[in-house]
Amino acid sequence: NCVQPFNPFDSEEIKHNHETDEKPAWHVKKKEKRRKLMQSSHSTHSHFDELEVDSLEDDSVKFSDVRIVGWSSDEIYNVVMNVADYKEFIPYCVKSTVFTQQSAPRHDYMEAELMVGFQLYQLGYTSKVNGSTTLDGKKIVTAVCENKDLFDHLNMEWKISPGPKEHTSSMHFTVSFKFSNRLYNKVATVFKSSVIDQMIPAFESRLRDVYGEPTILSSFVFNRHF
């Protein structure tokens, strides 16, 4: 409910203290969100708990994770681009079928049908995946969901570049999603906790299985701009 602004012409004797005004809900939530972000900046744990809900006008959920890991850029790129194997190591991924795949120098493209099943939900969609390597050796992978009946958007991006030491990499993962129907908003929290929260740990576990132990322990380098 909107709070009626104080009208100084209603009374000449009453002095209004604006500090006691009731704050609108969005202001309170934004202040609380800022407080949590300040707390997270001093933390060494995973930043998956700090998913961002933009505002009351935009139900998009955004997340960003930046870390230094002990695998090479090529190794990380190979695991991320091996979409057909997602069902083997990503939690709740019950189907990952690649039906279109093309490769060219410094560029890979594929389309895959993915299905995530958790609790009572089964979410199926087509993902268009683009992988590229820049001239300076950086690797970028983008995945865009094509099911507009389910998602207004579901975009994921990996930016992988050589790290500070040999056989290390800087790994920057971002995801943004919003369901098409507001009735799915309740699913957003479950989707976040059941799927998104476990993405990076699942990929690191897969990297261990395929390429062995990392050369260094993962460390967080986290910068967020909204």
Side-chain angles (χ1 to χ4, degrees):
N1 295 328
C2 295
V3 177
Q4 292 296 328
F6 175 74
N7 186 351
F9 298 101
D10 287 345
S11 172
E12 296 182 355
E13 299 179 357
I14 301 177
K15 293 184 178 181
H16 183 69
N17 182 3
H18 288 281
E19 294 182 355
T20 62
D21 279 352
E22 180 182 353
K23 303 297 182 183
W26 67 266
H27 180 89
V28 175
K29 289 185 177 182
K30 202 163 188 177
K31 185 176 180 181
E32 176 65 15
K33 181 170 58 182
R34 190 180 301 113
R35 182 186 67 80
K36 289 183 177 180
L37 287 175
M38 290 297 291
Q39 290 178 344
S40 71
S41 65
H42 301 289
S43 174
T44 58
H45 64 67
S46 172
H47 293 276
F48 279 101
D49 294 334
E50 302 301 332
L51 275 167
E52 171 73 11
V53 179
D54 277 351
S55 67
L56 297 180
E57 289 78 21
D58 183 3
D59 298 320
S60 296
V61 176
K62 297 180 180 179
F63 164 78
S64 181
D65 182 278
V66 184
R67 62 181 69 192
I68 304 297
V69 296
W71 292 280
S72 71
S73 299
D74 285 336
E75 291 171 343
I76 299 170
Y77 181 83
N78 291 340
V79 169
V80 173
M81 289 298 295
N82 193 359
V83 178
D85 284 353
Y86 279 12
K87 61 181 177 294
E88 297 181 11
F89 68 92
I90 294 182
Y92 303 101
C93 181
V94 297
K95 183 177 183 180
S96 55
T97 303
V98 175
F99 55 85
T100 298
Q101 190 165 6
Q102 301 171 356
S103 293
R106 297 197 304 274
H107 184 242
D108 299 291
Y109 172 80
M110 68 182 66
E111 296 181 10
E113 184 179 354
L114 301 175
M115 180 170 289
V116 178
F118 54 94
Q119 295 189 8
L120 301 177
Y121 304 104
Q122 289 273 336
L123 307 180
Y125 59 93
T126 298
S127 182
K128 292 186 175 181
V129 183
N130 276 283
S132 61
T133 302
T134 62
L135 293 176
D136 60 356
K138 296 179 181 178
K139 299 179 182 298
I140 301 173
V141 180
T142 60
V144 179
C145 168
E146 289 296 304
N147 186 348
K148 296 300 182 180
D149 293 333
L150 179 61
F151 290 101
D152 175 81
H153 68 269
L154 171 58
N155 302 326
M156 297 186 184
E157 182 180 65
W158 299 79
K159 293 181 179 179
I160 311 159
S161 57
K165 297 180 179 180
E166 185 178 358
H167 209 80
T168 67
S169 300
S170 171
M171 187 171 68
H172 184 184
F173 172 69
T174 60
V175 59
S176 172
F177 71 89
K178 176 182 177 181
F179 287 98
S180 298
N181 193 321
R182 284 183 173 270
L183 295 177
Y184 282 110
N185 285 350
K186 294 181 180 178
V187 183
T189 301
V190 182
F191 185 71
K192 175 256 179 187
S193 61
S194 298
V195 181
I196 301 298
D197 282 11
Q198 302 182 48
M199 287 282 287
I200 295 295
F203 275 98
E204 289 194 334
S205 177
R206 184 65 170 182
L207 283 162
R208 282 189 176 89
D209 292 341
V210 177
Y211 295 108
E213 291 298 317
T215 57
I216 61 171
L217 295 177
S218 296
S219 59
F220 298 104
V221 181
F222 191 72
N223 294 297
R224 191 191 298 251
H225 304 279
F226 300 111

